[in-house]
Tab-separated table of all heavy atoms in Angstrom:
chain	number	residue	atom	x	y	z
A	13	PRO	N	-1.157	-3.534	83.853
A	13	PRO	CA	-0.248	-4.654	84.091
A	13	PRO	C	-0.773	-5.955	83.504
A	13	PRO	O	-1.937	-6.317	83.707
A	13	PRO	CB	-0.167	-4.727	85.613
A	13	PRO	CG	-0.443	-3.335	86.066
A	13	PRO	CD	-1.469	-2.811	85.097
A	14	GLY	N	0.083	-6.647	82.773
A	14	GLY	CA	-0.283	-7.916	82.184
A	14	GLY	C	-1.139	-7.832	80.946
A	14	GLY	O	-1.565	-8.875	80.430
A	15	LYS	N	-1.396	-6.632	80.466
A	15	LYS	CA	-2.233	-6.458	79.295
A	15	LYS	C	-1.477	-5.728	78.199
A	15	LYS	O	-0.482	-5.046	78.450
A	15	LYS	CB	-3.507	-5.690	79.647
A	15	LYS	CG	-4.412	-6.398	80.641
A	15	LYS	CD	-5.687	-5.616	80.872
A	15	LYS	CE	-6.604	-6.337	81.831
A	15	LYS	NZ	-7.858	-5.561	82.073
A	16	GLU	N	-1.960	-5.869	76.980
A	16	GLU	CA	-1.369	-5.166	75.855
A	16	GLU	C	-1.840	-3.723	75.820
A	16	GLU	O	-2.899	-3.377	76.346
A	16	GLU	CB	-1.726	-5.860	74.544
A	16	GLU	CG	-1.143	-7.258	74.401
A	16	GLU	CD	-1.424	-7.870	73.052
A	16	GLU	OE1	-2.176	-7.265	72.268
A	16	GLU	OE2	-0.884	-8.951	72.770
A	17	ARG	N	-1.018	-2.895	75.196
A	17	ARG	CA	-1.391	-1.504	75.022
A	17	ARG	C	-2.615	-1.407	74.118
A	17	ARG	O	-2.686	-2.059	73.072
A	17	ARG	CB	-0.217	-0.731	74.431
A	17	ARG	CG	-0.382	0.770	74.449
A	17	ARG	CD	0.907	1.460	74.006
A	17	ARG	NE	2.016	1.138	74.910
A	17	ARG	CZ	3.229	1.661	74.802
A	17	ARG	NH1	3.493	2.548	73.846
A	17	ARG	NH2	4.181	1.310	75.643
A	18	GLU	N	-3.588	-0.593	74.519
A	18	GLU	CA	-4.817	-0.466	73.764
A	18	GLU	C	-5.114	0.998	73.468
A	18	GLU	O	-4.786	1.894	74.247
A	18	GLU	CB	-5.997	-1.087	74.524
A	18	GLU	CG	-6.332	-0.384	75.831
A	18	GLU	CD	-7.607	-0.891	76.476
A	18	GLU	OE1	-8.365	-1.628	75.817
A	18	GLU	OE2	-7.849	-0.553	77.653
A	19	LEU	N	-5.761	1.212	72.350
A	19	LEU	CA	-6.163	2.554	71.957
A	19	LEU	C	-7.338	3.010	72.798
A	19	LEU	O	-8.333	2.298	72.926
A	19	LEU	CB	-6.535	2.573	70.479
A	19	LEU	CG	-7.086	3.888	69.926
A	19	LEU	CD1	-6.022	4.984	69.971
A	19	LEU	CD2	-7.588	3.693	68.499
A	20	VAL	N	-7.224	4.197	73.371
A	20	VAL	CA	-8.287	4.797	74.160
A	20	VAL	C	-9.068	5.812	73.341
A	20	VAL	O	-10.301	5.823	73.348
A	20	VAL	CB	-7.725	5.464	75.427
A	20	VAL	CG1	-8.825	6.191	76.200
A	20	VAL	CG2	-7.049	4.420	76.310
A	21	ALA	N	-8.350	6.690	72.650
A	21	ALA	CA	-8.990	7.747	71.875
A	21	ALA	C	-8.055	8.225	70.787
A	21	ALA	O	-6.838	8.209	70.945
A	21	ALA	CB	-9.394	8.919	72.771
A	22	GLY	N	-8.627	8.660	69.684
A	22	GLY	CA	-7.868	9.228	68.589
A	22	GLY	C	-8.526	10.496	68.093
A	22	GLY	O	-9.734	10.679	68.241
A	23	ILE	N	-7.719	11.365	67.499
A	23	ILE	CA	-8.232	12.615	66.968
A	23	ILE	C	-7.493	12.953	65.678
A	23	ILE	O	-6.278	12.794	65.584
A	23	ILE	CB	-8.120	13.759	68.000
A	23	ILE	CG1	-8.801	15.027	67.490
A	23	ILE	CG2	-6.661	14.024	68.375
A	23	ILE	CD1	-9.004	16.068	68.582
A	24	SER	N	-8.243	13.420	64.688
A	24	SER	CA	-7.674	13.792	63.406
A	24	SER	C	-7.429	15.291	63.345
A	24	SER	O	-7.972	16.070	64.143
A	24	SER	CB	-8.608	13.373	62.276
A	24	SER	OG	-9.778	14.177	62.262
A	25	TRP	N	-6.629	15.704	62.358
A	25	TRP	CA	-6.473	17.125	62.094
A	25	TRP	C	-7.727	17.688	61.437
A	25	TRP	O	-8.194	18.764	61.783
A	25	TRP	CB	-5.267	17.359	61.182
A	25	TRP	CG	-5.273	18.726	60.574
A	25	TRP	CD1	-4.898	19.887	61.173
A	25	TRP	CD2	-5.701	19.072	59.248
A	25	TRP	NE1	-5.056	20.952	60.306
A	25	TRP	CE2	-5.540	20.482	59.121
A	25	TRP	CE3	-6.190	18.343	58.167
A	25	TRP	CZ2	-5.869	21.153	57.938
A	25	TRP	CZ3	-6.505	19.015	56.991
A	25	TRP	CH2	-6.342	20.399	56.884
A	26	SER	N	-8.263	16.965	60.475
A	26	SER	CA	-9.405	17.414	59.712
A	26	SER	C	-10.683	17.209	60.507
A	26	SER	O	-10.970	16.108	60.989
A	26	SER	CB	-9.482	16.654	58.391
A	26	SER	OG	-10.619	17.038	57.649
A	27	GLY	N	-11.449	18.257	60.649
A	27	GLY	CA	-12.714	18.177	61.374
A	27	GLY	C	-12.716	18.944	62.695
A	27	GLY	O	-13.302	20.036	62.767
A	28	PRO	N	-12.086	18.449	63.720
A	28	PRO	CA	-11.485	17.126	63.820
A	28	PRO	C	-12.507	16.024	64.059
A	28	PRO	O	-13.586	16.263	64.597
A	28	PRO	CB	-10.551	17.251	65.020
A	28	PRO	CG	-11.271	18.197	65.926
A	28	PRO	CD	-11.933	19.199	64.992
A	29	MET	N	-12.146	14.844	63.648
A	29	MET	CA	-12.908	13.660	63.987
A	29	MET	C	-12.280	12.994	65.194
A	29	MET	O	-11.065	13.062	65.383
A	29	MET	CB	-12.938	12.689	62.806
A	29	MET	CG	-13.617	13.239	61.569
A	29	MET	SD	-13.564	12.097	60.171
A	29	MET	CE	-11.820	12.167	59.775
A	30	THR	N	-13.094	12.365	65.998
A	30	THR	CA	-12.616	11.681	67.188
A	30	THR	C	-13.210	10.289	67.271
A	30	THR	O	-14.285	10.016	66.726
A	30	THR	CB	-12.962	12.447	68.470
A	30	THR	OG1	-14.385	12.620	68.560
A	30	THR	CG2	-12.298	13.818	68.474
A	31	SER	N	-12.508	9.416	67.957
A	31	SER	CA	-13.000	8.074	68.211
A	31	SER	C	-12.575	7.649	69.610
A	31	SER	O	-11.558	8.120	70.135
A	31	SER	CB	-12.479	7.079	67.174
A	31	SER	OG	-11.066	6.964	67.237
A	32	TYR	N	-13.362	6.749	70.202
A	32	TYR	CA	-13.121	6.306	71.566
A	32	TYR	C	-13.371	4.817	71.678
A	32	TYR	O	-14.215	4.253	70.973
A	32	TYR	CB	-14.044	7.027	72.550
A	32	TYR	CG	-13.889	8.519	72.553
A	32	TYR	CD1	-14.666	9.319	71.726
A	32	TYR	CD2	-12.956	9.136	73.380
A	32	TYR	CE1	-14.523	10.693	71.721
A	32	TYR	CE2	-12.809	10.509	73.380
A	32	TYR	CZ	-13.597	11.283	72.543
A	32	TYR	OH	-13.445	12.647	72.545
A	33	SER	N	-12.655	4.197	72.581
A	33	SER	CA	-12.967	2.822	72.906
A	33	SER	C	-14.300	2.772	73.643
A	33	SER	O	-14.698	3.734	74.310
A	33	SER	CB	-11.864	2.198	73.754
A	33	SER	OG	-11.796	2.807	75.031
A	34	ASP	N	-14.980	1.662	73.529
A	34	ASP	CA	-16.294	1.543	74.158
A	34	ASP	C	-16.222	1.720	75.670
A	34	ASP	O	-17.160	2.228	76.287
A	34	ASP	CB	-16.914	0.187	73.825
A	34	ASP	CG	-17.345	0.080	72.378
A	34	ASP	OD1	-17.529	1.132	71.726
A	34	ASP	OD2	-17.516	-1.052	71.895
A	35	SER	N	-15.126	1.328	76.271
A	35	SER	CA	-15.015	1.368	77.716
A	35	SER	C	-14.930	2.786	78.273
A	35	SER	O	-15.213	2.998	79.457
A	35	SER	CB	-13.811	0.555	78.186
A	35	SER	OG	-12.603	1.092	77.682
A	36	VAL	N	-14.540	3.760	77.458
A	36	VAL	CA	-14.391	5.129	77.939
A	36	VAL	C	-15.364	6.091	77.286
A	36	VAL	O	-15.435	7.263	77.692
A	36	VAL	CB	-12.954	5.645	77.746
A	36	VAL	CG1	-11.946	4.674	78.346
A	36	VAL	CG2	-12.650	5.895	76.271
A	37	LYS	N	-16.105	5.646	76.315
A	37	LYS	CA	-17.023	6.519	75.588
A	37	LYS	C	-18.034	7.140	76.546
A	37	LYS	O	-18.632	6.450	77.370
A	37	LYS	CB	-17.725	5.734	74.489
A	37	LYS	CG	-18.485	6.588	73.488
A	37	LYS	CD	-18.992	5.730	72.321
A	37	LYS	CE	-17.841	5.079	71.573
A	37	LYS	NZ	-18.313	4.284	70.402
A	38	GLY	N	-18.206	8.447	76.427
A	38	GLY	CA	-19.105	9.177	77.301
A	38	GLY	C	-18.456	9.689	78.561
A	38	GLY	O	-19.042	10.525	79.256
A	39	ARG	N	-17.259	9.207	78.878
A	39	ARG	CA	-16.545	9.645	80.074
A	39	ARG	C	-15.269	10.416	79.742
A	39	ARG	O	-14.886	11.325	80.478
A	39	ARG	CB	-16.181	8.451	80.955
A	39	ARG	CG	-17.385	7.662	81.452
A	39	ARG	CD	-16.976	6.587	82.462
A	39	ARG	NE	-16.096	5.579	81.863
A	39	ARG	CZ	-14.842	5.352	82.248
A	39	ARG	NH1	-14.307	6.058	83.245
A	39	ARG	NH2	-14.120	4.408	81.653
A	40	PHE	N	-14.607	10.042	78.668
A	40	PHE	CA	-13.364	10.677	78.265
A	40	PHE	C	-13.604	11.559	77.048
A	40	PHE	O	-14.507	11.300	76.243
A	40	PHE	CB	-12.300	9.639	77.898
A	40	PHE	CG	-11.768	8.830	79.049
A	40	PHE	CD1	-12.348	8.863	80.297
A	40	PHE	CD2	-10.657	8.021	78.858
A	40	PHE	CE1	-11.854	8.110	81.352
A	40	PHE	CE2	-10.146	7.263	79.899
A	40	PHE	CZ	-10.739	7.303	81.141
A	41	ALA	N	-12.777	12.578	76.893
A	41	ALA	CA	-12.839	13.448	75.728
A	41	ALA	C	-11.434	13.829	75.289
A	41	ALA	O	-10.648	14.324	76.104
A	41	ALA	CB	-13.660	14.699	76.024
A	42	ILE	N	-11.137	13.592	74.035
A	42	ILE	CA	-9.855	13.979	73.474
A	42	ILE	C	-10.021	15.306	72.740
A	42	ILE	O	-11.045	15.548	72.103
A	42	ILE	CB	-9.301	12.886	72.539
A	42	ILE	CG1	-7.883	13.223	72.082
A	42	ILE	CG2	-10.228	12.652	71.350
A	42	ILE	CD1	-7.199	12.084	71.324
A	43	SER	N	-9.027	16.160	72.842
A	43	SER	CA	-9.059	17.448	72.169
A	43	SER	C	-7.640	17.841	71.782
A	43	SER	O	-6.676	17.156	72.146
A	43	SER	CB	-9.700	18.529	73.048
A	43	SER	OG	-8.965	18.706	74.246
A	44	ARG	N	-7.523	18.945	71.058
A	44	ARG	CA	-6.204	19.371	70.604
A	44	ARG	C	-6.123	20.884	70.544
A	44	ARG	O	-7.134	21.580	70.395
A	44	ARG	CB	-5.904	18.776	69.219
A	44	ARG	CG	-6.848	19.259	68.124
A	44	ARG	CD	-6.624	18.490	66.824
A	44	ARG	NE	-5.246	18.544	66.401
A	44	ARG	CZ	-4.563	17.501	65.930
A	44	ARG	NH1	-5.151	16.316	65.821
A	44	ARG	NH2	-3.301	17.648	65.564
A	45	ASP	N	-4.915	21.384	70.669
A	45	ASP	CA	-4.611	22.798	70.513
A	45	ASP	C	-3.463	22.870	69.524
A	45	ASP	O	-2.309	22.629	69.887
A	45	ASP	CB	-4.244	23.438	71.845
A	45	ASP	CG	-4.038	24.938	71.744
A	45	ASP	OD1	-3.664	25.435	70.670
A	45	ASP	OD2	-4.259	25.630	72.752
A	46	ASP	N	-3.774	23.192	68.288
A	46	ASP	CA	-2.754	23.152	67.242
A	46	ASP	C	-1.673	24.208	67.451
A	46	ASP	O	-0.516	23.989	67.092
A	46	ASP	CB	-3.405	23.321	65.873
A	46	ASP	CG	-4.229	22.116	65.464
A	46	ASP	OD1	-3.965	21.008	65.981
A	46	ASP	OD2	-5.138	22.271	64.624
A	47	ALA	N	-2.037	25.358	68.016
A	47	ALA	CA	-1.051	26.396	68.271
A	47	ALA	C	0.006	25.925	69.256
A	47	ALA	O	1.177	26.304	69.158
A	47	ALA	CB	-1.723	27.664	68.783
A	48	LYS	N	-0.393	25.109	70.222
A	48	LYS	CA	0.529	24.573	71.218
A	48	LYS	C	1.080	23.206	70.840
A	48	LYS	O	1.914	22.664	71.575
A	48	LYS	CB	-0.158	24.480	72.575
A	48	LYS	CG	-0.602	25.812	73.146
A	48	LYS	CD	-1.280	25.619	74.496
A	48	LYS	CE	-1.712	26.933	75.096
A	48	LYS	NZ	-2.394	26.746	76.410
């Protein structure tokens, strides 16, 4: 509330490569299931 939308995590198709905001790094993990 009262804040702008911010990126938490991203994931690429290639690799995959991942990135995280500093505030969630080490606590959150992004993953993908391409079949689904």
Side-chain angles (χ1 to χ4, degrees):
K15 297 183 178 179
E16 295 185 353
R17 191 173 299 184
E18 65 172 348
L19 175 65
V20 175
I23 186 167
S24 71
W25 164 79
S26 178
M29 298 177 290
T30 58
S31 63
Y32 300 91
S33 67
D34 289 340
S35 62
V36 308
K37 192 172 299 182
R39 299 187 297 117
F40 291 10
I42 187 171
S43 61
R44 64 188 306 137
D45 185 332
D46 290 337
K48 298 180 179 179

